[in-house]
Amino acid sequence: MRIVLLGAPGSGKGTQCKQIVARYGLLHLSSGDILRQERASGTELGKKAQSYMDSGALVPDEIIIEMMAKAIEKAPDAGFVLDGFPRTLNQAVELDKSLARDGLAIDIILNLEVDDSIVTGRITGRRSCPKCGAVYHIENMKPKSEGLCDNDDAELIQRPDDTAEVVANRLETYHRQTKPLVNYYKNNGTVFDIDAGRSADEVKVALFEKLDALVAT
Ligand code: AMP
């Protein structure tokens, strides 16, 4: 199964991806996570991406398309879930072309729909563990001890691009450059729209129901 998860920053793409890959044995490919790893390792790619990411802008297409093509090559036959990629029309077209060269296509696009006001609260309250990557929220998903990771006691941090100012830019970027992809995919694929303003569990149940039906066909 090859899945694309679409949605604004904070719509729950990362959370839902983790559940989906665990249930269906797929590879989770998050372009944001790959970029953050490249930055942490100090690679040329990471250095090039840095200023775009910190301001909430998109990293140029040519960098991302090549990076994700390499990641997709390593996916198991069971398939993958793309999280945060594609984010521009050009990226979507190039993805479709490169899959088509291998006789493949995206099976379903899961479109997580949620209001900007909800995602802003979700993102600015988000804290993560620099050691194990666990994600918390200062109100909705508190760690057992304030500011510390439940798994390894590491001090939780706020991603530099999760501040209110950068989040406003990321949302503007999403509406201008990524939202048009929904229409592209409605004309070129199967899109499942889902109300992602609900709890993560409710969204998960609805997604599993849809994907179980797809697997059964
Ligand atoms: P994310 O964790 O998915 O919100 O991504 C964090 C940042 O990485 C974004 O704000 C962009 O600067 C960059 N990024 C991630 N995925 C892409 C993509 N597909 N195209 C361009 N930039 C991306």
Side-chain angles (χ1 to χ4, degrees):
M1 206 162 28
R2 284 169 291 275
I3 301 173
V4 166
L5 233 85
L6 278 182
S11 58
K13 295 192 299 292
T15 307
Q16 296 303 333
C17 273
K18 287 189 187 110
Q19 312 270 7
I20 293 171
V21 295
R23 185 174 175 93
Y24 303 99
L26 309 172
L27 181 66
H28 180 187
L29 292 173
S30 156
S31 47
D33 283 352
I34 298 175
L35 287 167
R36 280 183 286 278
Q37 279 157 18
E38 294 281 346
R39 283 181 66 169
S41 319
T43 65
E44 272 311 302
L45 196 160
K47 284 181 196 146
K48 279 188 201 157
Q50 196 162 323
S51 61
Y52 299 100
M53 294 175 77
D54 288 347
S55 68
L58 293 185
V59 175
D61 279 351
E62 57 276 16
I63 298 180
I64 293 290
I65 290 167
E66 193 187 332
M67 179 186 92
M68 293 308 287
K70 279 191 193 145
I72 288 171
E73 268 174 24
K74 295 184 195 132
D77 287 344
F80 53 78
V81 187
L82 293 175
D83 164 10
F85 174 83
R87 249 175 162 107
T88 65
L89 211 48
N90 186 27
Q91 291 178 17
V93 171
E94 290 303 320
L95 170 66
D96 280 349
K97 275 198 218 160
S98 88
L99 288 174
R101 279 195 286 273
D102 294 326
L104 304 173
I106 296 296
D107 297 302
I108 190 162
I109 293 93
L110 305 173
N111 179 33
L112 305 186
E113 298 183 305
V114 58
D115 282 350
D116 284 4
S117 57
I118 297 180
V119 296
T120 301
R122 282 186 187 169
I123 303 182
T124 52
R126 187 156 71 180
R127 299 291 181 272
S128 56
C129 173
K131 257 193 186 169
C132 73
V135 179
Y136 301 86
H137 189 279
I138 51 171
E139 279 160 17
N140 313 331
M141 216 199 292
K142 295 181 182 177
K144 290 191 189 109
S145 318
E146 197 182 325
L148 299 179
C149 179
D150 292 350
N151 302 330
D152 48 32
D153 262 357
E155 205 160 318
L156 300 178
I157 54 163
Q158 182 178 41
R159 258 170 58 178
D161 58 345
D162 278 354
T163 57
E165 195 194 357
V166 181
V167 168
N169 285 342
R170 288 167 68 197
L171 282 171
E172 192 276 327
T173 302
Y174 169 76
H175 286 290
R176 190 165 36 85
Q177 296 187 268
T178 308
K179 195 99 189 280
L181 285 190
V182 176
N183 273 338
Y184 167 79
Y185 278 126
K186 286 197 169 158
N187 293 323
N188 293 280
T190 307
V191 178
F192 179 55
D193 293 321
I194 178 150
D195 170 8
R198 297 176 286 170
S199 76
D201 266 350
E202 285 172 300
V203 176
K204 179 188 81 177
V205 168
L207 291 177
F208 281 2
E209 207 176 294
K210 182 74 188 171
L211 294 173
D212 282 355
L214 190 71
V215 170
T217 57

